[in-house]
Amino acid sequence: MDSYDGDIFTARQLRLMITIPSGKDGGVKETVGTVDLYDFDPVNSRCAVGILIAPEYRRRGYAYDALIRVADYCHKRLSLHQLYCVVGAENEPSRSLFEKAGYKVSGRLRSWLRSGGAYSDAFIYQMMLPFDRVGKQGAVEQ
């Protein structure tokens, strides 16, 4: 960690904290999760995305909001062409989240994830940038 400088172009990865206002005046920030950008590939203008929200803060819209903001950041600041993620086939909450945020299934990866002694399938999702948000809820169309 001592040598990490937060430069995605050097490290090829970046961790962002998801925070919300807390306290009486809202000035204090409370961390509710993280978004990881990894496998950063500036030559092909793409990056992988991972997200984790603390259990007590799930299903409140924080993950969706973070994915939309990260997509905007990746397009405007990093000039990326696409984002992608890998989600376990049986992880319905994460699959729904990425689909709601505008990611599309690109393929199924057979026996991709190992848990204990068993393997399970995963889906690879992609979002092409830039994206357009449509409607009041920020639905994403490509």
Side-chain angles (χ1 to χ4, degrees):
M1 284 299 281
D2 292 336
S3 65
Y4 182 70
D5 65 4
D7 179 9
I8 193 169
F9 289 91
T10 301
R12 300 289 191 241
Q13 62 185 2
L14 179 66
R15 173 163 287 169
L16 303 167
M17 307 310 286
I18 302 168
T19 61
I20 59 171
S22 66
K24 290 182 181 177
D25 64 359
V28 176
K29 301 285 185 183
E30 183 175 356
T31 301
V32 299
T34 61
V35 175
D36 288 327
L37 301 176
Y38 62 98
D39 287 344
F40 177 67
D41 182 351
V43 173
N44 293 298
S45 299
R46 65 178 170 239
C47 189
V49 177
I51 190 163
L52 176 67
I53 302 292
E56 63 270 25
Y57 293 103
R58 292 180 185 163
R59 306 203 54 83
R60 296 187 190 181
Y62 299 131
Y64 173 79
D65 185 56
L67 288 178
I68 297 301
R69 289 172 187 255
V70 162
D72 189 54
Y73 171 82
C74 287
H75 174 64
K76 290 180 179 174
R77 301 287 183 165
L78 301 177
S79 299
L80 294 183
H81 170 65
Q82 66 177 284
L83 298 173
Y84 69 95
C85 66
V86 175
V87 180
E90 295 183 16
N91 187 345
E92 283 298 324
S94 290
R95 291 182 57 205
S96 293
L97 168 66
F98 280 98
E99 289 170 9
K100 180 180 178 184
Y103 286 73
K104 307 290 184 206
V105 173
S106 294
R108 187 177 191 119
L109 304 166
R110 305 282 178 203
S111 294
W112 193 255
L113 302 173
R114 183 176 180 190
S115 181
Y119 290 88
S120 61
D121 293 357
F123 289 103
I124 187 162
Y125 285 82
Q126 290 177 281
M127 172 191 270
M128 300 301 163
L129 301 172
F131 63 93
D132 294 318
R133 289 196 288 167
V134 178
K136 191 171 186 170
Q137 301 234 334
V140 178
E141 299 264 334
Q142 294 177 345

